[in-house]
Amino acid sequence: MTSSGDTTDPTGTAGAAGTADHPPRWKVIGPGLVVAATGVGAADLVATLVAGAKFGYTLLWVAVLGAVLKVVLVEGAGRYSLATQRTIFEGWRSLGRWTTWYFAPYILVWGVVYGATAMSSTALPVVALLPDLPLRWTAVAFGLVGLVLVWFGSYGVFEKITAALVGVMFVTVVGAAVLTLPNLGEVLGGLRPALPDDSLVNVLGIAGGVGGTITLAAYGYWLREKGWHTPRFMRVMRIDNGVAYAVTGVFVVSMLIVGAELLYSAGIAMETGDQALVQLSDVLADRYGEVFGTVFLVGFWASSFSSLIGVWSGVSLMFADFVGNLRDLPSGHPETRTGGRLFKAYLLWLTFPPMLLLLLDEPVGLILAYGVLGALFMPFLAITLLVLLNKRRPGALPHSDVPPEWRNGWLSNTGLAVCAVLFLLLGANELREVLAPYVPFLEG
């Protein structure tokens, strides 16, 4: 989202092609595709699939809205990083110590629980294809594969792997939608805003889940790793972000079409969790042949594995920067970059402690903390971006203020305000679901 105040390029070279600092536009797809692919995991596909199965095309407009909202958030995070040449955590730190008190427990708890979830989600389609493999140990193996790829690989290698996985996702997920031969009139009708009865939870889930949570804030770190680190790259960043979330929107719309055509019309109820995608592969196999079911499972795996390695890279960069800030290391210190000591420390945290959750029962206290802290992150991101991207703040840390030409205009502020309200509602609903088993009056 931009406004007249958001589009100035002080260097006058943002549109240049083929220079040392500015690649031609057709080569700029990179960090945006990474952040989008990382965010669109199995959980997002399931949420959209279930909505299509329950309500047909009625909530298609919500999927489109969700992709637009993520463009707003990611553009804001990227614009802050390019305009100030500071990381998002440096921006949060300029708002006061309270941001550190929230972020420190969040990133530690989130890493353990998400690590186990990502490994299991990646292993599930492989075990569905090869039933003799044990799910638990296959999950451990994928965690180790992700560790090795990110530990020894450069950002450039990681980006190429992610792009290949996105290609697999595109062929399988969009191919499944095309295969169902949707009714174009009904699809277009789904773009008209409407709320069926009992659909609020699904609306919040689709709009809030399209394309990531904490990984949205990692965008600025990937921009830096790519070498896009000054306002010269503002237009390139916006193209990158817009195209990436257009691809994300295509994924989500495709999955809703599949749910509407294959499940809603046939009255098939979906299972919960990642098993819903395994069930969908069975439906595709029954309807169109075994090959199509197998191909879809490959796409399910690509979606899950791209999220795994994306988190292993992006959130490790965020943690490294967080610790580097606490230790007063210079911005961009080698220990905080890809392959640095602090980066590798969080890689180990994402890989090995979560394996205990795979081998043991999930501890209730940890899951509860994960749910509570996670429900607060998206409102935290939207509200802090609203503050960081507006007028100068008295007492702000040096260089943490955005120059006037890159501050929000009314359109950007409106978009971020909508994000803040939506994610506060979504967070409140998630908190209710997390706390309901322990606070009886919330169950109703």
Side-chain angles (χ1 to χ4, degrees), residues 118-133:
M119 292 182 214
S120 294
S121 180
T122 305
L124 190 61
V126 175
V127 173
L129 286 170
L130 304 169
D132 290 337
L133 292 177

Side-chain angles (χ1 to χ4, degrees), residues 65-90:
L65 174 64
V68 171
L69 292 178
K70 295 302 169 62
V71 168
V72 172
L73 285 168
V74 175
E75 190 275 342
R79 175 155 46 96
Y80 179 82
S81 296
L82 295 182
T84 63
Q85 298 178 57
R86 293 291 182 269
T87 66
I88 190 66
F89 184 78
E90 290 177 284

Side-chain angles (χ1 to χ4, degrees), residues 51 55 59 61-62 194-196 199-208 422 426:
F55 302 107
L59 297 183
W61 65 275
V62 182
L195 287 176
S199 65
L200 181 60
V201 173
N202 296 92
V203 167
L204 293 173
I206 296 172
L422 174 67
L426 179 59

Side-chain angles (χ1 to χ4, degrees), residues 242-260:
V243 171
Y245 275 94
V247 173
T248 298
V250 169
F251 284 148
V252 175
V253 168
S254 296
M255 188 55 64
L256 191 139
I257 287 173
V258 171

Side-chain angles (χ1 to χ4, degrees), residues 111-112 119 144 147 151 312 316 341-355:
V112 174
M119 292 182 214
L144 294 174
L147 173 68
W151 185 288
W312 265 228
S316 295
R341 188 163 61 92
L342 296 176
F343 174 86
K344 289 181 175 179
Y346 194 74
L347 270 179
L348 297 175
W349 179 256
L350 275 169
T351 306
F352 292 105
M355 289 179 182

Side-chain angles (χ1 to χ4, degrees), residues 22-53:
H22 261 282
R25 288 187 176 183
W26 58 270
K27 289 185 178 179
V28 303
I29 306 306
L33 197 64
V34 169
V35 74
T38 300
V40 181
D44 301 287
L45 297 181
V46 169
T48 314
L49 177 67
V50 169

